[in-house]
Amino acid sequence: MSAYFPVHIFQEFILAWYAKNRRDLPWRKVPRNPYHILVSELMLQQTQVSRVLPKFTHFISKWPTIESLADAKLSEVIIEWQGLGYNRRAKHLLETAKIIVHDYQGLFPKDNKELQNLPGFGPYMVSAIRVFAFGMQEPVLDVNVRRIQERTGLEPFAFPQEKADEWHQALMDFGSNICTAKAPACSLCPVSRICQANKEAQRLGFETYAQWLATQPKVKKISKKDIGKKFEETDRYFRGRIIDFLREGSTSMQKVQDHILVTHKLSDRKRFGNIIESLVVDGLIIVEGSTVHL
């Protein structure tokens, strides 16, 4: 941060903004429920809050405790996951629930190494559970937090003393509503005067960083194998459509292939077979003879 604006000034501005604009999200209720944090964090990975809210509410009403979820079948969880995408997250959620119930008697582990061993848990998930569920004082670096840090010049691991939970929730709300990725609302930003990106944009002749950003070419990240393809032509798209079809119940492999051919125009039999194999390997579908189901 600028020498004229110590980090605590930045923190005060952000926390004051958060006090007036914080989102009322069901998984933020106090005292925090680690199970609710787990479900919400897995649902929120690469999925907007607006899409997650109704799914979270319905999911928790169906499986109100981690013990009830641990007794569920993967096919049931995948069916409930419809609309969220990235179905592997549903599998990780169920596997984690079973481990916590069977290996930890339903009590969430707090230790870094134990959390790292849970299915689908990377550095962010570990920190999110530790900070949001248990009040640990450590950084939680999601895409919103990193983006704000890069633009403002904020120190990566700076947060107000004993306020790691509130601080990171504030940054996530701020990143979702003001300091957005594509169209930041610099004119509404409480820290625009001390934001390094905004200052640099003004040095280049723009009124705000948002104006400068609007002039930049849009760059879309695409995996090497999907270069040149529309999303509707990628393996991930076809995987999702197969899962969606099987949510209706078990059926023959031929009917699955016919559906994907007629409805989604995938005529390459070898590629279809590879996609089916990948879903089986990931544990998302089961093939028994000529029958396939979740």
Side-chain angles (χ1 to χ4, degrees), residues 217-231:
K218 304 297 186 289
V219 178
K220 188 174 182 180
K221 294 182 179 180
I222 303 175
S223 65
K224 289 183 179 179
K225 68 177 182 178
D226 290 334
I227 291 176
K229 296 179 182 177
K230 298 178 181 179
F231 173 63

Side-chain angles (χ1 to χ4, degrees), residues 25-76:
L25 303 175
W27 47 87
R28 287 183 177 175
K29 295 185 183 299
V30 178
R32 294 289 180 83
N33 183 321
Y35 171 55
H36 290 186
I37 300 296
L38 170 68
V39 174
S40 65
E41 288 296 341
L42 280 171
M43 286 186 171
L44 286 165
Q45 289 178 10
Q46 303 184 62
T47 306
Q48 295 178 333
V49 170
S50 59
R51 287 173 56 195
V52 167
L53 277 169
K55 300 299 293 186
F56 174 85
T57 301
H58 188 266
F59 194 96
I60 293 299
S61 67
K62 186 175 181 67
W63 294 294
T65 65
I66 196 165
E67 289 81 6
S68 59
L69 177 59
D71 288 335
K73 296 178 180 178
L74 178 58
S75 58
E76 296 175 312

Side-chain angles (χ1 to χ4, degrees), residues 1 12 15 35 57 68 77 79 84 91 102 119 121 126 141 150 177-178 207 211 220 222 230 252 260 267-268:
M1 297 297 292
E12 288 175 7
L15 290 175
Y35 171 55
T57 301
S68 59
V77 178
I79 288 171
L84 292 173
K91 180 172 179 283
H102 298 145
F121 269 61
V126 170
L141 302 179
E150 291 173 358
N177 292 285
I178 300 295
E207 290 186 14
Q211 287 188 359
K220 188 174 182 180
I222 303 175
K230 298 178 181 179
S252 69
I260 297 300
S267 58
D268 187 331

Side-chain angles (χ1 to χ4, degrees), residues 12-269:
E12 288 175 7
F13 284 164
I14 292 294
L15 290 175
W17 176 90
Y18 180 62
K20 295 179 180 179
N21 299 282
R22 71 188 306 271
R23 293 176 292 186
D24 183 20
L25 303 175
W27 47 87
R28 287 183 177 175
K29 295 185 183 299
V30 178
R32 294 289 180 83
N33 183 321
Y35 171 55
H36 290 186
I37 300 296
L38 170 68
V39 174
S40 65
E41 288 296 341
L42 280 171
M43 286 186 171
L44 286 165
Q45 289 178 10
Q46 303 184 62
T47 306
Q48 295 178 333
V49 170
S50 59
R51 287 173 56 195
V52 167
L53 277 169
K55 300 299 293 186
F56 174 85
T57 301
H58 188 266
F59 194 96
I60 293 299
S61 67
K62 186 175 181 67
W63 294 294
T65 65
I66 196 165
E67 289 81 6
S68 59
L69 177 59
D71 288 335
K73 296 178 180 178
L74 178 58
S75 58
E76 296 175 312
V77 178
I78 290 178
I79 288 171
E80 291 300 323
W81 204 261
Q82 185 171 16
L84 292 173
Y86 298 94
N87 292 290
R88 195 177 300 177
R89 292 179 297 166
K91 180 172 179 283
H92 289 158
L93 175 56
L94 180 59
E95 290 173 343
T96 295
K98 290 181 181 297
I99 290 171
I100 291 174
V101 169
H102 298 145
D103 296 354
Y104 294 95
Q105 294 72 54
L107 300 176
F108 270 73
K110 302 178 185 179
D111 180 75
N112 264 304
K113 290 185 178 180
E114 291 180 305
L115 288 169
Q116 288 169 7
N117 288 329
L118 293 175
F121 269 61
Y124 170 78
M125 275 295 294
V126 170
S127 296
I129 293 295
R130 282 170 56 82
V131 172
F132 300 145
F134 300 114
M136 301 294 188
Q137 299 302 304
E138 61 190 52
V140 184
L141 302 179
D142 81 335
V143 292
N144 285 303
V145 176
R146 291 182 186 278
R147 182 170 63 252
I148 294 167
Q149 289 173 343
E150 291 173 358
R151 289 176 177 175
T152 62
L154 179 68
E155 297 174 26
F157 303 112
F159 54 85
Q161 188 173 7
E162 298 303 316
K163 289 188 176 181
D165 182 350
E166 181 184 5
W167 174 244
H168 289 97
Q169 299 283 8
L171 288 182
M172 289 173 186
D173 280 12
F174 185 70
S176 295
N177 292 285
I178 300 295
C179 197
T180 62
K182 298 180 180 179
C186 295
S187 61
L188 301 177
C189 176
V191 294
S192 60
R193 291 179 56 222
I194 58 178
C195 171
Q196 297 302 314
N198 210 44
K199 288 182 178 181
E200 179 62 19
Q202 291 171 345
R203 188 185 70 79
L204 295 173
F206 296 89
E207 290 186 14
T208 64
Y209 171 74
Q211 287 188 359
W212 172 84
L213 186 63
T215 67
Q216 302 306 298
K218 304 297 186 289
V219 178
K220 188 174 182 180
K221 294 182 179 180
I222 303 175
S223 65
K224 289 183 179 179
K225 68 177 182 178
D226 290 334
I227 291 176
K229 296 179 182 177
K230 298 178 181 179
F231 173 63
E232 292 77 10
E233 299 171 340
T234 63
D235 285 1
R236 186 162 71 83
Y237 173 80
F238 292 123
R239 281 167 58 99
R241 303 298 72 75
I242 290 169
I243 292 291
D244 286 345
F245 188 61
L246 293 176
R247 283 189 171 101
E248 302 299 322
S250 64
T251 187
S252 69
M253 184 67 74
Q254 188 60 54
K255 286 185 178 180
V256 176
Q257 186 171 0
D258 290 345
H259 170 75
I260 297 300
L261 169 61
V262 173
T263 307
H264 303 290
K265 313 306 179 187
L266 178 61
S267 58
D268 187 331
R269 294 176 62 86

